[in-house]
Amino acid sequence: MKRIIPFLFTMFVALSVLAQTDTPFDKTAFKDQKDELKAGLKHLKEGDKYFYGLPFADYKNALTNYEEAYKINPNNSVLNFKVGICYLNTNFRTLSLDYFTKAYKLDKSVSSDIKYYLGQSHQLNSDWDDAIKFYKQYLTEGRGNKNANVDLVNATDKRLKECESGRTLEKKPIRVFIDNLGNNINTEYPEYSMIMNADGSEIYFTSRRNTSTGGSFDELNSGYFEDIYFAQKDGKTWSSAQNVGAPINTKGHDATVALSPDGQKMLVYIDDKGDGNIYESIRTGDAWSKPKKMDKIICSPYHESSAWYSNDGKRLYFISNRPKNGSNKAEPEDRDIYYVTWDAEKEKWDNLVRLPDNINSPYDEDGIFVHPDGKTLYFSSKGHNSIGGYDIFYTVLDEKGGFSDPVNIGIPVNTPDDDIFFTMTASGRFGYMTSFRKDGFGEKDLYKITFLGEPKQPLLNSEEMLLAGLDIIKQEKTIEPIIKNDRGELALLKGTIYDDKTKLPLYAKIELYDNETGELLAEFESDKVNGRYMLTLPAGKNYGIAVKVDGYLFHSENFDIPKGSDYAEYKKDVYMKKIEVGESIVLKNIFFDLSKYSLRPESKSELERLIKLMNDNPNLKIELSGHTDSRGSVQLNKELSLNRAKTVVDYLVNAGISRDRLVSAGYASERPIVTDAQIAAMKTTKEKEAGHQENRRTEFKILSK
Amino acid sequence: MKKILTLVCVSFLTFYGVRAQNTDVKVLSEQELEQIKAEQMPAEAERSYNEGVSAFMSKDYQLAITKFSAAIAVYADFPGAYLNRGMSYAALKDREKAFKDFSMVMEMDSTNSLAYFEKAIIYFNDKEYENAIAELGHAIEMEESEIKYYYQRALANFLLENYQEAIVDLDRILKIDPDFAYAYNDKGSAYKELNELDKAAESYKMAVNKDKKFKMAYNNLGTTYRKQKKYNLAIDAFTSAISLDKDSYIAYNNRGYAKLENGDYEGAIADFDKVLQLKPDYAYAFNNKASAYIKMEKWEEAVKQCDYAIKLNPEYGYAFYNRGIAKEMLHQEEKACEDWLKAVELGVETASSYYANSECNNF
């Protein structure tokens, strides 16, 4: 019912426009309706009390009273204007248009700023041409009008640019589905600021519902105190949202800020008596630690409202309204994006950098989100080519560290109102945002955006007879379009680390290498309780992954993710083997030239790990074996596999490992991991090739220790 | 002897019918005839030979073999009888015996190019195009101006995707006979396969200039224009093909395709409907009609047409792929994913990108 009232009210306004003369609340107009007049004046007075309230106007309560007065006299220009202003300051902002329009019709001089508000309400309704018309008139008249609101006059040029942007972007809307997340997540209370892990299987968000911790009502913000809620993907739907509870949620405001891509660290916003700071909580199993205030370099005396980790965890982007000159005493300025870098030696965040002016506009930026591809930053801004309020933009970090000019993500995701708190799954297929929409549950809700990308082109068939001398009807060759994956060019690797024998989960360190340069890109850890891990592998690198647990053989994985790759998700449970006789592991990051036995330079990191293992375990004697797939000559494969094994042995000997600790063997395709029958049963060429790839390998086996 | 000469003349006239070469009566050269005259062939051999030719023409190859064998029995030094018996064996798919007879011809008459040609034809029909090309090379060495040898070699090279070699032979033919429309058409096709579309269009245009009723060349010209995105010219060319053959479902289908790419979706659908009137089981037309509906954003209709296509051909990858597109837009993403996965299994590579990037694994 709450949602129906404004709609009916609007209908009433629309009908009453038919008989329009400005009707005062006085005896001349209500000669025979003294009681109604009295009631109307009472509501008017009561409404004004809230409308002009100090220190802040209370438009919600003002509107309730004005609506009662409106029932008695809908043709009063000032009342219509005030109702318009009230709506402009609620979630139902688009409804202001009818009231401003009517106020203007009843009295063209109802306010010196009426044309600004007409422009604004048309803008909120995406009526760009009318908005521009009124803004331009306001600008022309307002500049010479002493009674005009100077702030509004000064803001009008910006509003005009927004409308021009809206008109441009509207011509090429992006193709999306926007769906409410449903009643397992959203309620009649506000839900906003959703965050999630990289695969989108877990979400956290802020809500001001009546079940919040302590159940107290914040009079200042006209709502219950903020708490953080949690839900998991339950097949196709979301589980019912649960309060995260203590120690994250308190009786005060606790709001979501960010979640690391692996879901192991959460940033929360704590009001800190108006200062506004970012805190960090660490996850162990299903429990979250008590949030700890971030370093001072991040938490200044000014307001920090939003933050996000880079995908390698080495950088933290955040929003602050601190003075740009670094002063701790000057007045706060507009909100900008900054980042700090993790200093591993000092174990603290360091090197504060404000993003360049092509990103930080003269207006507010907020709601930063770093996509798991490691290079795309999404943020909201009131500047650039926003179409009104905060719009969602993205910028791409290039290899030299520069940020591309921001791009407005487009209509209909962006609206003339505030669009903020945007997040996206690793694939780039799904985004989530906070929005107030007519189909919602009554307040701000969480919405899922399905990005459909450019229109998918159908594939047709035709036939032709190419040769006059032959009766052959041939299907015309169709060149299939190359699909550009511009949002999710990465792979997601997730799974659980176990002890191979006991099958119990293990806490492990996971190192991520660039095989080409040998650089250690990032270090991660599996969950201390359940052994789960999640890594994002942005396209453009050949990744070597080493999983390490004390007392166990290292486990290696290789993922070559070339640029332009489609999004891929791999589930890889890792079974760690203890350093015991008979155990063997596959060295997945040892590479040879095609059909040769010369080692490729990308093998270096893996070989170094092997050398370290041999040095750390001086009694270890191992067999290094080469294996091929089943294609090609058996004899040649046998020779190739043996020669490859010998090459690795020679490398280790050159690195100082005694030759009598090393045995080489070539097994060709005698010991496949995936059998030919299994490969034959695979459906696609890609799967079959992956099967053969798995069989081509170098292994080592412990002979004695 | 007169009868033999008559048959030779008839045979020569049928030479352009390469497409029906297996049943052609073969030519005896002037030299062969002169030789036969000089050697005073017995009348019985002549009679048997002519009966063999008649049987061959009646497609009674077994009888033809009997008759040619009878001719050879009476007159052993008769290369024409060996040649025709070899052809009769070839018609009965007895390749070994055919080759044996052709070898006899080559032994008896080292200038007889036809034996090589016929051997090449056997290889060609068995899809052994390299061997066919080798035999045709021998034939051409002996008879440099024989168009059919070049043409047959051009066909073999084309089928081996040796398009440049095919073009060389077709150009040789056009030097000998500049009005040979088939050569222009096939040269156009070779250029088309090489993606040299301007040259392809020029060759096809020459083909239709030489033979105004050459519907195949109009059709090929249309396809070339469509690939060049010259949609109006393509539509005109297909319309010419249709005017020459009102039942050409291929031309209607191709015209519909061109209309679709030209943005005339209603026109495209009308053409695909015409195809389905002519050939109701033509799955391509249903799929193409679905494509037009996709362009028109009539998703339900697109799904329906894909359903028809898939019913006709359950292994039709494009139809699954297109149905996936339509289902996605109907907000049935899970079903779209199922269709794209099936399309991937059927070899549509693009579908694998859609499947991966749409997080289909997460349903």
Side-chain angles (χ1 to χ4, degrees):
Chain A
M1 198 60 193
K2 203 176 176 184
R3 276 177 286 152
I4 294 168
I5 290 167
F7 178 68
L8 292 176
F9 195 44
T10 310
M11 291 290 289
F12 180 60
V13 175
L15 290 170
S16 63
V17 170
L18 294 172
Q20 289 174 352
T21 50
D22 196 1
T23 309
F25 277 90
D26 64 20
K27 287 175 187 171
T28 56
F30 293 89
K31 271 182 195 168
D32 304 322
Q33 297 164 282
K34 284 181 186 170
D35 290 344
E36 285 88 341
L37 176 62
K38 194 176 168 189
L41 285 167
K42 186 185 159 209
H43 286 301
L44 213 50
K45 194 177 170 188
E46 191 69 11
D48 283 348
K49 195 173 87 186
Y50 291 110
F51 190 86
Y52 297 110
L54 288 172
F56 303 110
D58 179 350
Y59 293 108
K60 198 175 167 186
N61 278 319
L63 183 60
T64 309
N65 282 286
Y66 287 152
E67 280 173 342
E68 291 303 315
Y70 204 98
K71 286 176 191 167
I72 294 158
N73 181 7
N75 292 323
N76 180 275
S77 60
V78 175
L79 178 59
N80 272 284
F81 181 77
K82 285 178 177 173
V83 172
I85 294 287
C86 287
Y87 273 123
L88 212 50
N89 287 282
T90 65
N91 283 329
F92 303 93
R93 300 181 76 195
T94 55
L95 299 183
S96 61
L97 177 60
D98 289 335
Y99 298 94
F100 288 134
T101 303
K102 189 170 178 184
Y104 182 65
K105 278 188 180 171
L106 291 166
D107 179 4
K108 295 212 166 7
S109 58
V110 61
S111 159
S112 309
D113 303 312
I114 182 66
K115 286 189 177 170
Y116 178 89
Y117 290 117
L118 278 165
Q120 190 178 12
S121 52
H122 275 293
Q123 182 183 357
L124 286 164
N125 281 281
S126 303
D127 302 333
W128 310 112
D129 291 342
D130 284 335
I132 289 169
K133 182 183 81 183
F134 282 113
Y135 281 139
K136 280 187 175 171
Q137 287 176 11
Y138 178 67
L139 207 53
T140 308
E141 296 161 14
R143 278 189 176 135
N145 185 348
K146 285 179 189 171
N147 294 324
N149 182 323
V150 178
D151 289 342
L152 297 185
V153 172
N154 291 339
T156 307
D157 275 331
K158 170 80 167 72
R159 298 287 96 80
L160 277 166
K161 277 184 194 164
E162 291 168 356
C163 292
E164 292 293 351
S165 299
R167 204 153 56 173
T168 305
L169 290 171
E170 196 176 60
K171 286 177 189 157
K172 210 184 170 199
I174 55 168
R175 292 171 6 110
V176 290
F177 293 136
I178 299 178
D179 296 299
N180 190 294
L181 282 193
N183 60 6
N184 274 357
I185 305 294
N186 290 316
T187 64
E188 62 189 286
Y189 301 100
E191 279 80 29
Y192 49 92
S193 187
M194 180 183 135
I195 56 177
M196 64 185 167
N197 58 355
D199 70 349
S201 60
E202 292 179 353
I203 61 168
Y204 294 82
F205 59 93
T206 308
S207 180
R208 301 182 66 169
R209 53 188 71 171
N210 59 352
T211 54
S212 290
T213 307
S216 302
F217 195 83
D218 180 6
E219 296 293 342
L220 190 64
N221 290 302
S222 299
Y224 292 96
F225 278 85
E226 293 170 317
D227 258 5
I228 296 173
Y229 289 79
F230 158 78
Q232 277 179 314
K233 206 166 185 195
D234 187 8
K236 295 171 202 171
T237 55
W238 292 101
S239 63
S240 186
Q242 304 292 318
N243 190 305
V244 170
I248 288 188
N249 284 329
T250 65
K251 286 180 182 175
H253 288 292
D254 310 293
T256 39
V257 169
L259 196 63
S260 59
D262 61 0
Q264 293 300 108
K265 288 190 278 189
M266 191 195 297
L267 297 178
V268 298
Y269 169 83
I270 291 180
D271 188 47
D272 277 349
K273 295 174 184 169
D275 172 13
N277 283 311
I278 309 287
Y279 285 64
E280 187 179 52
S281 175
I282 309 291
R283 180 181 190 163
T284 308
D286 289 331
W288 288 97
S289 67
K290 188 178 179 190
K292 187 182 163 195
K293 195 171 178 177
M294 299 289 278
D295 297 346
K296 278 184 181 172
I297 196 168
I298 300 163
C299 296
S300 72
Y302 297 88
H303 190 269
E304 281 76 37
S305 54
S306 170
W308 208 277
Y309 302 97
S310 62
N311 73 314
D312 60 4
K314 290 181 177 174
R315 208 179 252 194
L316 186 90
Y317 292 88
F318 65 97
I319 303 288
S320 176
N321 66 352
R322 66 189 64 187
K324 292 171 188 42
N325 63 9
S327 162
N328 269 343
K329 290 175 184 170
E331 283 294 305
E333 297 185 14
D334 60 283
R335 295 178 180 196
D336 278 344
I337 306 171
Y338 294 79
Y339 72 79
V340 285
T341 309
W342 180 250
D343 186 326
E345 280 183 22
K346 294 178 189 166
E347 293 198 338
K348 65 171 193 171
W349 295 102
D350 208 350
N351 293 325
L352 178 71
V353 177
R354 177 182 171 270
L355 261 60
D357 287 344
N358 71 322
I359 306 298
N360 281 318
S361 73
Y363 303 91
D364 284 337
E365 276 68 43
D366 209 334
I368 183 92
F369 165 70
V370 185
H371 189 264
D373 70 3
K375 61 180 183 183
T376 313
L377 272 69
Y378 291 87
F379 62 96
S380 292
S381 174
K382 289 179 176 174
H384 305 297
N385 61 334
S386 160
I387 63 170
Y390 278 115
D391 270 9
I392 298 158
F393 292 82
Y394 66 87
T395 175
V396 181
L397 182 62
D398 64 31
E399 284 165 7
K400 291 177 184 169
F403 291 91
S404 67
D405 287 340
V407 177
N408 188 310
I409 202 169
I411 290 172
V413 175
N414 282 327
T415 66
D417 214 335
D418 286 337
D419 304 292
I420 196 165
F421 303 129
F422 176 82
T423 55
M424 186 181 253
T425 56
S427 70
R429 170 74 167 176
F430 303 114
Y432 295 90
M433 67 173 182
T434 302
S435 190
F436 173 80
R437 293 181 184 240
K438 284 175 187 167
D439 65 348
F441 287 79
E443 253 289 356
K444 281 179 187 167
D445 280 347
L446 300 177
Y447 283 82
K448 174 184 174 184
I449 308 158
T450 305
F451 287 92
L452 300 167
E454 291 296 311
K456 294 181 173 70
Q457 297 305 319
L459 290 174
L460 286 84
N461 280 109
S462 68
E463 290 182 316
E464 53 195 355
M465 290 174 72
L466 291 173
L467 298 171
L470 291 174
D471 277 325
I472 300 175
I473 297 175
K474 195 180 165 198
Q475 186 182 326
E476 191 194 345
K477 280 181 201 163
T478 306
I479 299 167
E480 292 182 22
I482 295 165
I483 307 304
K484 192 170 172 279
N485 172 25
D486 53 0
R487 288 194 195 275
E489 216 181 299
L490 75 155
L492 193 64
L493 174 64
K494 59 184 179 180
T496 304
I497 298 172
Y498 296 102
D499 178 296
D500 187 46
K501 286 213 170 120
T502 65
K503 310 297 182 210
L504 291 171
L506 283 177
Y507 163 63
K509 292 199 171 170
I510 303 164
E511 294 171 348
L512 186 65
Y513 288 89
D514 179 343
N515 276 333
E516 207 162 297
T517 62
E519 184 192 353
L520 174 63
L521 297 170
E523 291 173 280
F524 302 89
E525 293 171 2
S526 65
D527 189 284
K528 287 186 171 69
V529 172
N530 57 34
R532 283 206 297 257
Y533 73 97
M534 192 184 300
L535 312 180
T536 55
L537 309 173
K541 284 188 167 59
N542 179 347
Y543 291 99
I545 295 164
V547 184
K548 294 178 175 175
V549 181
D550 285 344
Y552 289 77
L553 290 170
F554 66 83
H555 174 97
S556 67
E557 290 290 340
N558 171 252
F559 287 89
D560 189 8
I561 318 285
K563 276 188 180 168
S565 297
D566 290 325
Y567 173 72
E569 223 173 275
Y570 301 98
K571 187 166 188 317
K572 195 99 197 170
D573 290 339
V574 175
Y575 292 88
M576 301 296 288
K577 294 173 178 175
K578 287 204 165 155
I579 304 174
E580 285 172 0
V581 175
E583 292 289 12
S584 63
I585 59 165
V586 178
L587 299 165
K588 292 195 176 173
N589 292 294
I590 288 188
F591 307 97
F592 296 93
D593 288 320
L594 189 66
S595 302
K596 293 180 182 169
Y597 50 89
S598 44
L599 275 167
R600 292 187 57 80
E602 296 92 310
S603 315
K604 199 176 171 218
S605 303
E606 189 89 318
L607 290 164
E608 293 304 317
R609 274 192 289 280
L610 192 52
I611 292 164
K612 186 173 184 305
L613 179 82
M614 296 300 283
N615 286 332
D616 290 348
N617 299 273
N619 297 324
L620 214 57
K621 192 174 173 184
I622 63 169
E623 175 196 79
L624 281 149
S625 58
H627 302 258
T628 66
D629 63 36
S630 59
R631 296 175 293 189
S633 146
V634 173
Q635 184 55 35
L636 286 178
N637 281 341
K638 192 90 179 165
E639 284 169 20
L640 184 66
S641 56
L642 180 61
N643 284 331
R644 285 181 167 178
K646 282 179 177 172
T647 305
V648 179
V649 167
D650 289 345
Y651 187 97
L652 298 182
V653 170
N654 284 336
I657 309 294
S658 171
R659 191 176 285 278
D660 59 13
R661 296 173 63 197
L662 306 164
V663 174
S664 53
Y667 293 112
S669 58
E670 292 161 16
R671 301 178 180 188
I673 293 174
V674 188
T675 65
D676 280 351
Q678 287 170 316
I679 291 173
M682 289 170 177
K683 284 177 179 171
T684 65
T685 316
K686 206 173 167 183
E687 287 172 326
K688 287 177 199 282
E689 196 44 55
H692 287 301
Q693 172 69 40
E694 201 153 343
N695 288 337
R696 295 192 295 270
R697 66 197 190 275
T698 305
E699 268 188 26
F700 91 74
K701 185 178 172 184
I702 299 175
L703 300 175
S704 64
K705 66 174 217 174
Chain B
M1 191 57 69
K2 276 182 186 170
K3 279 185 183 172
I4 291 177
L5 280 172
T6 308
L7 283 169
V8 167
C9 291
V10 169
S11 174
F12 189 72
L13 288 172
T14 60
F15 135 72
Y16 283 118
V18 183
R19 295 158 77 186
Q21 58 218 351
N22 229 9
T23 55
D24 286 351
V25 176
K26 295 299 157 186
V27 185
L28 287 183
S29 68
E30 291 293 332
Q31 290 91 333
E32 281 177 307
L33 291 171
E34 288 306 315
Q35 194 184 343
I36 290 166
K37 278 179 198 171
E39 289 175 6
Q40 295 179 329
M41 179 172 51
E44 196 185 338
E46 185 184 331
R47 191 177 61 249
S48 296
Y49 176 84
N50 285 341
E51 284 169 1
V53 169
S54 298
F56 185 94
M57 292 185 76
S58 307
K59 296 186 180 175
D60 188 346
Y61 303 117
Q62 201 56 59
L63 180 60
I65 289 165
T66 307
K67 294 297 177 185
F68 291 132
S69 297
I72 290 164
V74 176
Y75 182 60
D77 195 13
F78 192 174
Y82 279 106
L83 182 70
N84 284 353
R85 191 174 69 178
M87 287 166 56
S88 304
Y89 280 128
L92 291 172
K93 307 281 178 206
D94 191 341
R95 174 169 151 154
E96 201 178 322
K97 285 183 178 162
F99 281 178
K100 208 170 167 186
D101 276 350
F102 295 147
S103 295
M104 282 300 290
V105 177
M106 292 168 197
E107 265 179 40
M108 293 160 87
D109 177 5
S110 60
T111 62
N112 193 322
S113 58
L114 273 173
Y116 290 102
F117 176 71
E118 291 303 335
K119 201 173 172 189
I121 294 297
I122 292 173
Y123 280 130
F124 187 94
N125 289 336
D126 288 345
K127 296 188 167 57
E128 293 178 30
Y129 301 121
E130 282 97 346
N131 289 335
I133 289 166
E135 298 300 331
L136 288 162
H138 293 310
I140 288 167
E141 274 173 28
M142 291 172 193
E143 202 70 60
E144 285 184 356
S145 58
E146 184 55 74
I147 286 177
K148 69 178 171 187
Y149 297 166
Y150 290 112
Y151 190 71
Q152 198 66 40
R153 192 165 70 177
L155 293 181
N157 270 315
F158 189 101
L159 294 170
L160 283 172
E161 300 183 4
N162 298 331
Y163 302 117
Q164 291 293 6
E165 284 88 337
I167 290 167
V168 169
D169 275 342
L170 293 165
D171 278 337
R172 282 183 186 135
I173 293 169
L174 292 168
K175 269 190 184 167
I176 298 165
D177 179 1
D179 292 327
F180 191 25
Y182 278 23
Y184 281 115
N185 175 81
D186 294 6
K187 193 174 151 186
S189 296
Y191 278 126
K192 186 151 70 177
E193 294 298 285
L194 289 168
N195 208 29
E196 294 185 37
L197 298 179
D198 288 342
K199 287 181 180 174
E202 281 311 307
S203 293
Y204 288 134
K205 276 197 275 185
M206 285 299 288
V208 296
N209 279 339
K210 297 293 176 189
D211 179 357
K212 303 268 187 273
K213 294 190 172 177
F214 197 175
K215 61 179 183 179
M216 180 195 290
Y218 279 115
N219 198 53
N220 288 331
L221 178 61
T223 312
T224 308
Y225 280 141
R226 199 199 70 230
K227 287 191 169 190
Q228 291 179 304
K229 301 190 189 305
K230 295 174 180 173
Y231 300 120
N232 289 326
L233 289 175
I235 291 163
D236 289 346
F238 292 129
T239 303
S240 296
I242 290 166
S243 68
L244 291 167
D245 179 1
K246 302 246 181 292
D247 293 336
S248 174
Y249 66 90
I250 289 179
Y252 277 111
N253 186 55
N254 286 338
R255 191 173 70 176
Y257 192 163
K259 284 180 179 176
L260 182 144
E261 298 222 319
N262 202 28
D264 175 11
Y265 307 129
E266 297 284 1
I269 289 170
D271 274 347
F272 297 137
D273 280 338
K274 183 70 187 175
V275 177
L276 293 167
Q277 274 176 26
L278 295 166
K279 196 169 167 59
D281 61 347
Y282 196 56
Y284 289 171
F286 284 113
N287 176 66
N288 293 350
K289 206 171 154 186
S291 301
Y293 283 122
I294 286 172
K295 288 290 204 178
M296 294 165 81
E297 300 189 355
K298 292 187 174 177
W299 314 114
E300 288 94 347
E301 204 49 54
V303 169
K304 203 189 290 177
Q305 297 303 322
C306 288
D307 287 344
Y308 292 139
I310 290 164
K311 198 173 175 189
L312 286 167
N313 179 6
E315 302 292 297
Y316 190 1
Y318 282 11
F320 282 103
Y321 167 92
N322 285 336
R323 193 171 70 178
I325 292 175
K327 285 189 173 170
E328 180 189 45
M329 296 312 295
L330 287 167
H331 220 335
Q332 299 170 9
E333 290 99 316
E334 197 175 348
K335 287 183 177 172
C337 287
E338 286 169 14
D339 277 346
W340 288 330
L341 181 61
K342 183 71 182 170
V344 173
E345 289 168 15
L346 294 169
V348 186
E349 285 294 321
T350 308
S352 69
S353 291
Y354 289 162
Y355 188 83
N357 297 330
S358 302
E359 281 199 38
C360 287
N361 278 331
N362 281 338
F363 283 112

